[in-house]
Amino acid sequence: MTRRNNDQNENSNTEEVANPGRRSFLGATATVGALGVTGGTGTALMMGGSGDAKAAEGAQSTHVPLGELDDYYGFWSGGHSGEVRVFGVPSMREIMRIPVFNYCSATGWGMTNESKRIMGDSNKYTNGDAHHPHLSFTDGSHDGRYLYINDKAHSRVARIRLDIFKTDAMVTIPNIQAVHGLRLQKAPKTGYVFANGEFPIPQPNDGRDMENTDKYWTLWTAVDGEKMEVAWQVMVDGNLDNMDADYTGKYAAATCYNSEKATSLAGMQRAERDWVVVFNIERIEKAVENGDYTTIGDSDVPVVDGRKGSDVTRYVPIPKNPHGCNTSTDGKYFICAGKLSPTASMVDISKLDDLFADKLDDPRDVIAGEPELGLGPLHTTYDGRGNAYTTLFIDSQIVKWNMEKAVRHYNGEDVDYIVQKLDVHYQPGHNHATLAESKDADGKWLFSLNKFSKDRFLPVGPLHPENDQMIDISGEEMKLVHDTPTFAEPHDTVIVTRDMINTKQVWERDDPFFAETAKMAKEDGITLESDDKVIRDGNKVRVYMTSVAPNFGITEFKVKSGDEVTVVITNLDSVADVTHGFCMIGHGAAMEISPQQTSSITFTAGSPGVYWYYCNWFCHALHMEMSGRMLVEPADA
Ligand code: CUK
Ligand code: CUA
Ligand code: CA
């Protein structure tokens, strides 16, 4: 086995040297029509060589001894799988998956009544596209209450409760298409959840102005992170890609790659500079307070005009189709990666008061530095020691650079700000270091979320996994230590120390997650903690039962074909980890019932006959026997 793997590696390395190589091949593919640059990728290839086959010497260990716990929780977005995944860092053991915008066969997410209530109308969509997971803040530190995440596919924002690791709220943002960039207010607390509407559309989008792209607009949205309701929106010029907020609660900034408002690839690259738009949150709130807003279509959300010339925004030109926007953890800069420019633009947050007071001659006066980093810079993360780390998509590298030196260089000093370039495999999108979205960045581990994994893993057919590589950044030199294959497609991650998260091992009986179901039971005169009872209400049948390993409280019930059947199960087991399931054969109904949880699911009884139901979470030596039968009689019987 080992021998074969080595051979494969050798072959691909030989191939790499003989040919222009896969690094430049991928680079070229990824930039077809986007950039006339391939020269730089050749250089990267030479630097890469074959020395990357083993983990670097002298690096921090990723090994977590058996039975011991990881130091960090890592929350990974699951991209267009629509879910969130939880990894232990540094072991990179996948601990849990949290369904959010997807349907989940194991837990019943999307199918249970509890999850349907949370998803609301958007339950009709079985897919989602989760990009940016972010943990709530108090005073610039993570507070472990919530994780928020966007859905690009259906313009949603969801919240995950971190005491139970379940999605508990979801809101569809009006007047926009595609929530892409999502970031949180860091101070005084979250507070607002800010969401970028990516694609400009006619306003309202009801069939008018379809041919007239001059009349397309998009909006920046603030969601109240407690109530999970849209607070207000700001109409902007161009489009919105990624964003971040500052550490004071005053400002946020978003990149725009389509200042041209073009509908073609060529059109979106016409301008040498697009911009970063800076939002003045206080002024927006004041405008809303003063009634200085409009509404769009059926929505009653206040929309403040933030287009050029408005008081609530400023547009700072930066090169070219910029992408990532990441606030440095010292609170000084919004750093916007140039994507089609080899630069990153450092917006000096301390100059924004002057910018909004119109005291600067040129909005570009807020740029404190614009270091040249390499080809295809996308996202930046930090170590809390003055260094920034930017992914170079086309070069397939992480570049470590010193922020202070980059500023000095911009001011004319002859100083080298590049510390190191490290090859990654291949084509990184986001990167993220431990605690690096908060003022507590500890500079221990960095992850490079690579879009391509060609030849790093056993082949599994034409669809390849992504490769999330782990890099030790605790020393002066970045050291690559681990490859983690991941399924479609983590864009971003957030990694926090384990003491920041406090979870419940068993549900509280009065948890709001199933409060609506408890209310229904009460109206039916049912005590969920003890009753096993079938209630008929016209052609609606509600089956209330308890479960205690390895028994369902009801092992036989009768309904009529076509009845709307709701099964409500309360798991009376209170021992941690004794989760039961309910799966009704032939009815597309399955759900999780964890200790002390009440879960419910509704389905239509099929054609007459016997249908077994069974527990589908292994719970007991007699788990196989934990079953029952639904007897479906003819409708007219
Ligand atoms: S985006 Cu995916 S690599 Cu959605 Cu944060 Cu940049
Ligand atoms: Cu109960 Cu398996
Ligand atoms: Ca552009």
Side-chain angles (χ1 to χ4, degrees):
M1 285 300 285
T2 315
R3 163 102 209 137
R4 189 169 161 263
N5 285 343
N6 285 342
D7 286 344
Q8 277 187 340
N9 281 343
E10 269 160 35
N11 286 343
S12 54
N13 282 335
T14 318
E15 211 176 278
E16 190 175 58
V17 175
N19 289 316
R22 75 190 170 228
R23 297 179 69 89
S24 51
F25 167 74
L26 287 170
T29 313
T31 52
V32 163
L35 264 182
V37 281
T38 41
T41 53
T43 316
L45 163 70
M46 291 313 172
M47 287 166 58
S50 53
D52 50 38
K54 343 184 216 23
E57 306 278 327
Q60 297 183 94
S61 176
T62 62
H63 182 66
V64 176
L66 283 177
E68 288 189 18
L69 305 179
D70 280 286
D71 299 330
Y72 301 89
Y73 282 95
F75 297 89
W76 257 245
S77 82
H80 41 293
S81 76
E83 65 190 6
V84 164
R85 301 173 194 142
V86 184
F87 285 87
V89 175
S91 73
M92 286 313 285
R93 294 177 289 195
E94 187 186 281
I95 305 171
M96 187 44 67
R97 295 183 170 201
I98 308 171
V100 187
F101 304 113
N102 56 323
Y103 277 42
C104 175
S105 173
T107 60
W109 188 260
M111 298 173 270
T112 62
N113 295 320
E114 294 71 39
S115 62
K116 280 178 164 174
R117 281 178 206 120
I118 288 160
M119 296 176 93
D121 282 347
S122 78
N123 178 246
K124 62 179 181 260
Y125 305 121
T126 57
N127 73 306
D129 189 5
H131 285 221
H132 299 115
H134 297 295
L135 247 89
S136 56
F137 292 94
T138 301
D139 293 329
S141 293
H142 292 299
D143 59 21
R145 291 177 295 139
Y146 298 116
L147 182 116
Y148 299 90
I149 189 156
N150 71 302
D151 170 27
K152 177 164 167 171
H154 300 297
S155 311
R156 289 175 287 184
V157 174
R159 181 175 74 184
I160 293 168
R161 261 174 62 189
L162 291 178
D163 58 339
I164 51 173
F165 280 49
K166 296 284 183 202
T167 306
D168 88 315
M170 198 176 288
V171 50
T172 299
I173 311 298
N175 308 325
I176 58 149
Q177 260 172 36
V179 173
H180 187 229
L182 180 105
R183 284 284 181 152
L184 313 181
Q185 189 177 11
K186 299 182 208 283
K189 69 182 285 211
T190 313
Y192 291 127
V193 178
F194 300 117
N196 281 355
E198 185 175 350
F199 300 118
I201 48 170
Q203 298 291 356
N205 190 24
D206 57 2
R208 76 184 69 188
D209 301 330
M210 291 199 288
E211 312 289 345
N212 186 358
T213 53
D214 288 346
K215 292 198 168 174
Y216 288 17
W217 306 100
T218 193
L219 311 170
W220 188 65
T221 301
V223 176
D224 179 324
E226 291 289 341
K227 293 189 205 145
M228 284 302 277
E229 286 168 6
V230 178
W232 39 256
Q233 298 185 296
V234 179
M235 186 176 284
V236 295
D237 278 304
N239 82 332
L240 296 165
D241 189 7
N242 280 292
M243 64 150 299
D244 206 347
D246 73 353
Y247 278 89
T248 69
K250 228 167 150 178
Y251 298 111
T255 52
C256 159
Y257 64 78
N258 190 7
S259 64
E260 303 89 345
K261 273 214 292 202
T263 52
S264 70
L265 200 54
M268 292 180 202
Q269 295 169 72
R270 212 174 290 129
E272 275 314 306
R273 280 176 177 167
D274 296 283
W275 56 62
V276 49
V277 51
V278 184
F279 297 93
N280 186 319
I281 293 155
E282 217 171 86
R283 287 194 188 175
I284 296 164
E285 285 175 328
K286 199 142 283 161
V288 173
E289 221 176 273
N290 296 341
D292 192 5
Y293 62 80
T294 51
T295 58
I296 297 172
D298 301 336
S299 155
D300 55 7
V301 171
V303 177
V304 176
D305 192 348
R307 290 174 293 187
K308 284 188 175 172
S310 123
D311 225 23
V312 301
T313 54
R314 289 292 182 270
Y315 291 77
V316 180
I318 57 168
K320 174 183 185 176
N321 289 34
H323 185 60
C325 178
N326 301 83
T327 309
S328 59
T329 51
D330 56 14
K332 288 186 185 167
Y333 309 109
F334 293 129
I335 296 186
C336 307
K339 192 167 78 184
L340 299 191
S341 159
T343 55
S345 304
M346 305 170 74
V347 174
D348 185 340
I349 293 172
S350 73
K351 290 200 174 142
L352 295 179
D353 284 351
D354 284 351
L355 178 67
F356 275 93
D358 297 323
K359 287 186 185 159
L360 305 178
D361 300 332
D362 181 338
R364 289 267 310 164
D365 290 349
V366 301
I367 300 296
E370 211 152 64
E372 193 160 320
L373 301 173
L375 296 181
L378 289 188
H379 293 277
T380 301
T381 190
Y382 306 95
D383 62 10
R385 299 188 296 268
N387 300 302
Y389 301 75
T390 302
T391 52
L392 301 173
F393 182 81
I394 297 168
D395 281 345
S396 279
Q397 290 182 318
I398 302 278
V399 51
K400 175 179 177 181
W401 54 283
N402 183 278
M403 291 186 280
E404 191 218 310
K405 286 183 180 165
V407 172
R408 281 162 51 198
H409 181 270
Y410 191 71
N411 292 331
E413 240 182 275
D414 183 18
V415 40
D416 189 8
Y417 46 78
I418 302 286
V419 181
Q420 187 196 354
K421 290 189 175 185
L422 180 76
D423 289 336
V424 294
H425 312 86
Y426 306 91
Q427 265 65 43
H430 274 269
N431 62 355
H432 199 94
T434 42
L435 292 168
E437 261 174 43
S438 71
K439 62 182 190 195
D440 308 315
D442 66 359
K444 288 271 185 353
W445 298 106
L446 178 145
F447 288 85
S448 175
L449 275 50
N450 306 317
K451 302 298 188 185
F452 293 77
S453 68
K454 187 178 185 316
D455 78 17
R456 297 295 284 193
F457 305 111
L458 283 175
V460 287
L463 179 63
H464 290 56
E466 274 60 69
N467 184 11
D468 295 349
Q469 288 186 305
M470 191 171 179
I471 295 160
D472 178 356
I473 57 165
S474 62
E476 188 52 25
E477 199 190 326
M478 292 185 278
K479 289 176 178 169
L480 178 62
V481 296
H482 192 254
D483 274 7
T484 309
T486 46
F487 182 62
E489 172 194 313
H491 283 253
D492 195 5
T493 161
V494 55
I495 305 154
V496 302
T497 48
R498 69 182 196 212
D499 58 295
M500 290 180 171
I501 308 287
N502 285 303
T503 73
K504 289 178 182 151
Q505 297 287 294
V506 168
W507 287 84
E508 310 266 351
R509 285 298 308 143
D510 58 357
D511 198 291
F513 190 83
F514 47 78
E516 278 295 310
T517 307
K519 200 174 134 212
M520 176 182 83
K522 204 170 169 197
E523 282 162 16
D524 277 341
I526 295 286
T527 305
L528 284 172
E529 294 76 11
S530 56
D531 286 351
D532 295 301
K533 224 176 197 170
V534 178
I535 289 184
R536 177 169 282 279
D537 171 7
N539 68 340
K540 293 186 170 137
V541 179
R542 290 186 285 280
V543 181
Y544 291 96
M545 67 173 99
T546 56
S547 68
V548 178
N551 292 290
F552 285 122
I554 294 178
T555 52
E556 183 187 326
F557 63 88
K558 276 187 191 154
V559 298
K560 293 191 194 310
S561 180
D563 278 350
E564 183 194 289
V565 181
T566 299
V567 174
V568 183
I569 301 181
T570 299
N571 182 358
L572 298 183
D573 281 303
S574 55
V575 175
D577 213 0
V578 184
T579 291
H580 297 291
F582 171 84
C583 178
M584 178 65 79
I585 291 171
H587 285 78
M591 61 182 177
E592 159 208 357
I593 318 116
S594 280
Q596 295 289 306
Q597 185 179 12
T598 295
S599 304
S600 72
I601 195 158
T602 300
F603 54 89
T604 304
S607 45
V610 171
Y611 299 88
W612 285 82
Y613 53 91
Y614 67 97
C615 175
N616 59 355
W617 284 83
F618 212 115
C619 54
H620 189 274
L622 292 169
H623 156 81
M624 296 305 295
E625 289 81 351
M626 187 168 174
S627 58
R629 287 165 306 136
M630 174 173 75
L631 312 182
V632 179
E633 298 175 323
D636 47 18

